[in-house]
Amino acid sequence: MGEIDESFIQSIEHRPKSTTVEAEGIPVIDLSAPNSQDLVVQVGDACKNWGFFQVINHWVPSSCREKVELASRAFFQQPSLEKRKVRRDEANPMGFYDTEHTKNVRDWKQVFDFTVENPTVVPASHEPDDVELQEIVSQWPEYPPNFREACEEYAREIEKLAYKLLELISLSLGLPAEKFNGFFKNQTSFMRLNYYPICPILHLALGVGRHKDSGALTVLAQDDVGGLEVKRKSDGEWVQVRPTPNAYIINVGDVIQVWSNDRYESVEHRVMVNSERERFSIPFFFNPSHNVMVEPLKELTSKQNPARYKPYNWGKFHTTRNISNFKKLNVENIQIYHFRI
Ligand code: OGA
Ligand code: NI
């Protein structure tokens, strides 16, 4: 990524500030708390007021996380030529790539993506009338030798945590615990290893530009470097999510915003670059099956509170979003507000 390419430069209003706000941070929730009703209330409040929270005492073994973190470092340390052997392309959206764009500005990062289900079934194209499907299978590098095993073991653990959180969220909306589970049969979830190299143009670029996550729920592991910022709902200020050892950062995505008919909003976030230390993070994007029509739940709408969104097909939405990130189309990305009533 050595050369400084104009495509990385953020427009002035979106450039990172030189001071960061660390005042009131996102809530920290202890999942081992003995009072389950209290836990549900805490999760509900965090989703409503922040859209983001951290969890501790979550039962994901730290050895499992350490193993995938080491494997990720080893993979990204390789020369680009090696990494490109498992490069993402138009045929396979999983694998390595280093030219992702968020809102048409290039992100200062490299990623490796793999699916949680192998194979994962998705639409063959974004064309609305094309009903053909396609199976995606992750590609795996030869080095480091335990890479695939570390990734797959970690994904299984995080998936368990994601279901647990989904159930807490469902309860917090006054719904049965397993209300959402059926949407995730044949899920299109994927895991991403993020590598943010040291960046010499600190005040011009971002690791990931401001965005909302389009899926249901994100479970993120960040290392001790820091750089993730969340747009605080109360005042629109960008606040740092201070690294907490062994915690996971959870945020609701656009799909939960629609299911909950805006009770829980998907919140903007971004990643700052760092001129001294490289940074690693691992988000798990918990996504429904391709054939799910995303729409406000009947239980959460009423005459006084009618549905605010038209139904949209998750698979087509996601496929459309993916190609525009990949190709840097000069049009705005598809967004849930396009389905607003
Ligand atoms: C993302 C994201 C945050 C991070 O990949 O969608 O928001 O800390 N990542 O890497
Ligand atoms: Ni994100």
Side-chain angles (χ1 to χ4, degrees):
M1 217 186 253
E3 84 284 6
I4 290 170
D5 180 332
E6 225 179 87
S7 61
F8 288 112
I9 311 294
Q10 297 283 334
S11 62
I12 291 171
E13 72 270 31
H14 298 308
R15 285 183 197 164
K17 290 176 309 194
S18 42
T19 56
T20 55
V21 176
E22 275 204 40
E24 194 204 346
I26 64 173
V28 177
I29 299 180
D30 180 348
L31 290 184
S32 70
N35 182 337
S36 59
Q37 192 47 43
D38 186 46
L39 188 56
V40 169
V41 170
Q42 284 185 51
V43 167
D45 285 348
C47 289
K48 189 151 110 323
N49 301 330
W50 283 89
F52 263 87
F53 53 99
Q54 304 207 51
V55 294
I56 54 170
N57 297 324
H58 42 63
W59 300 289
V60 178
S62 55
S63 57
C64 182
R65 172 161 168 180
E66 280 154 20
K67 201 164 143 187
V68 74
E69 284 174 343
L70 286 173
S72 174
R73 277 176 191 272
F75 172 75
F76 285 112
Q77 259 162 21
Q78 298 178 99
S80 291
L81 209 59
E82 282 305 311
K83 293 185 273 198
R84 292 202 178 123
K85 288 182 181 164
V86 288
R87 178 170 55 184
R88 167 186 179 175
D89 58 27
E90 289 194 52
N92 192 339
M94 294 297 121
F96 170 79
Y97 59 113
D98 58 6
T99 53
E100 196 172 52
H101 293 75
T102 302
K103 303 203 195 300
N104 289 328
V105 182
R106 190 165 160 198
D107 295 323
W108 192 271
K109 68 168 183 187
Q110 301 179 14
V111 313
F112 179 88
D113 288 347
F114 61 97
T115 57
V116 171
E117 304 276 4
N118 269 302
T120 291
V121 180
V122 296
S125 79
H126 70 292
E127 302 293 346
D129 300 324
D130 180 2
V131 293
E132 208 179 313
L133 300 174
Q134 153 191 20
E135 287 189 345
I136 301 176
V137 179
S138 301
Q139 19 184 358
W140 298 104
E142 276 170 26
Y143 181 85
N146 71 341
F147 185 84
R148 178 175 183 169
E149 179 192 300
C151 288
E152 289 183 335
E153 279 176 17
Y154 181 70
R156 290 275 86 89
E157 289 296 333
I158 297 299
E159 185 188 11
K160 281 189 246 169
L161 174 59
Y163 273 110
K164 169 117 190 100
L165 292 160
L166 192 69
E167 293 180 7
L168 287 166
I169 289 172
S170 190
L171 289 169
S172 77
L173 289 164
L175 302 167
E178 298 193 353
K179 177 72 199 175
F180 296 116
N181 294 24
F183 297 134
F184 293 85
K185 189 169 183 289
N186 306 317
Q187 60 186 300
T188 57
S189 304
F190 70 102
M191 186 78 87
R192 169 168 288 177
L193 308 180
N194 277 318
Y195 165 46
Y196 301 95
I198 286 172
C199 179
I201 50 166
L202 205 54
H203 303 296
L204 298 175
L206 287 169
V208 186
R210 78 205 151 91
H211 68 282
K212 298 177 180 184
D213 293 347
S214 59
L217 198 66
T218 305
V219 178
L220 173 84
Q222 70 164 340
D223 68 12
D224 63 344
V225 174
L228 173 63
E229 293 190 328
V230 171
K231 197 166 189 174
R232 186 161 56 195
K233 281 184 77 175
S234 58
D235 57 3
E237 192 72 58
W238 286 105
V239 294
Q240 274 250 32
V241 178
R242 213 180 312 194
T244 304
N246 205 31
Y248 288 94
I249 297 158
I250 315 300
N251 64 291
V252 301
D254 292 343
V255 166
I256 286 189
Q257 173 165 342
V258 173
W259 280 340
S260 74
N261 205 29
D262 288 346
R263 264 173 66 183
Y264 295 165
E265 279 166 355
S266 173
V267 163
E268 261 187 338
H269 52 285
R270 65 183 189 183
V271 176
M272 312 292 271
V273 288
N274 194 303
S275 58
E276 281 152 26
R277 292 181 67 192
E278 51 187 20
R279 174 176 184 266
F280 294 84
S281 74
I282 312 177
F284 171 94
F285 298 106
F286 196 31
N287 292 343
S289 158
H290 77 87
N291 56 17
V292 166
M293 293 301 292
V294 183
E295 60 187 313
L297 293 192
K298 300 275 173 294
E299 295 87 336
L300 301 178
T301 57
S302 64
K303 231 182 176 148
Q304 293 74 34
N305 179 25
R308 297 182 182 179
Y309 300 89
K310 292 180 278 199
Y312 64 90
N313 174 265
W314 167 252
K316 289 290 179 192
F317 181 94
H318 190 54
T319 310
T320 308
R321 176 67 72 86
N322 258 350
I323 55 161
S324 59
N325 282 352
F326 189 53
K327 283 197 176 152
K328 185 177 176 356
L329 301 179
N330 276 322
V331 291
E332 194 200 14
N333 262 340
I334 186 168
Q335 304 282 353
I336 53 168
Y337 71 71
H338 295 140
F339 299 95
R340 263 196 179 275
I341 292 174

